[in-house]
Amino acid sequence: MIRLIAAIDRKQGIGKDGFQPWSIPADEQYFTEMTQTHGGHILVGNTTYKLFHAPLANRTNFVLTRDKTPIDGAELVNNLEKFLKEYQNKDLWVIGGANVFSQVMDMGKADELYLTKIDADFGCNQFFPKYDEGFTLKEQSQLHEQNGFIFSYFVYTKTQ
């Protein structure tokens, strides 16, 4: 099962100038709990990975990159299509960035989307791909509020 997980604003923004422009500790905890379950394997693009400064703990980190230089604590992925074929029947979380989300969805490989929707517009310049035609809402949480932000958790499944 290949799952994508992201927090998005009203316009499906996920980042501004390479950074997430909000801080919601409850969502960070949700992200950690979700990505440590169902196998604990994560795939992240090289640019996004560099923002972490270290592998994410208690998870197998795969970094999508053209670079062949080894990364301590992570396994390199140089061929996304081949890698996703290997993970077709295993659990994998795709955690960003925008380009990786788009590639996975364009290949039709995303089985589920875990989206935290924040009721705000942050003027983002990186966006989560459109998903309204290919996915069906499976679960929705109640509204939450933290640090002045109102948000809910949504799970979508690929429409068969």
Side-chain angles (χ1 to χ4, degrees):
M1 172 93 46
I2 297 174
R3 299 173 177 92
L4 279 59
I5 186 167
I8 61 174
D9 73 4
R10 281 187 206 130
K11 296 182 178 177
Q12 292 183 208
I14 60 172
K16 184 173 183 178
D17 301 327
F19 294 94
Q20 185 174 283
W22 57 78
S23 175
I24 303 175
D27 183 54
E28 293 168 17
Q29 181 63 36
Y30 175 79
F31 171 88
T32 298
E33 287 173 11
M34 293 297 104
T35 59
Q36 286 180 348
T37 62
H38 305 295
H41 299 275
I42 61 169
L43 173 68
V44 62
N46 192 40
T47 302
T48 302
Y49 180 80
K50 288 178 182 175
L51 298 173
F52 302 155
H53 304 293
L56 296 184
N58 302 317
R59 286 155 278 194
T60 304
N61 291 242
F62 295 98
V63 178
L64 180 62
T65 180
R66 290 184 195 102
D67 193 348
K68 306 274 191 208
T69 308
I71 299 173
D72 285 340
E75 295 182 41
L76 301 183
V77 174
N78 299 117
N79 183 325
L80 181 60
E81 192 169 359
K82 181 180 174 188
F83 177 78
L84 293 177
K85 273 186 184 167
E86 293 171 12
Y87 266 85
Q88 229 168 287
N89 298 313
K90 299 178 190 174
D91 287 311
L92 177 70
W93 290 94
V94 179
I95 65 170
N99 187 32
V100 178
F101 288 141
S102 291
Q103 288 182 64
V104 172
M105 289 182 68
D106 288 349
M107 291 178 188
K109 298 294 186 182
D111 297 307
E112 291 184 337
L113 309 177
Y114 283 67
L115 300 176
T116 301
K117 294 184 181 181
I118 305 165
D119 188 20
D121 179 356
F122 294 93
C124 292
N125 54 13
Q126 287 108 23
F127 297 89
F128 193 83
K130 292 184 188 264
Y131 59 90
D132 50 343
E133 290 182 19
F135 292 86
T136 305
L137 181 63
K138 177 181 171 185
E139 297 174 26
Q140 176 180 346
S141 75
Q142 62 188 16
L143 289 176
H144 300 274
E145 185 173 356
Q146 190 175 46
N147 287 352
F149 301 114
I150 296 171
F151 59 98
S152 295
Y153 304 111
F154 292 77
V155 178
Y156 293 86
T157 57
K158 184 190 261 183
T159 305
Q160 301 299 333

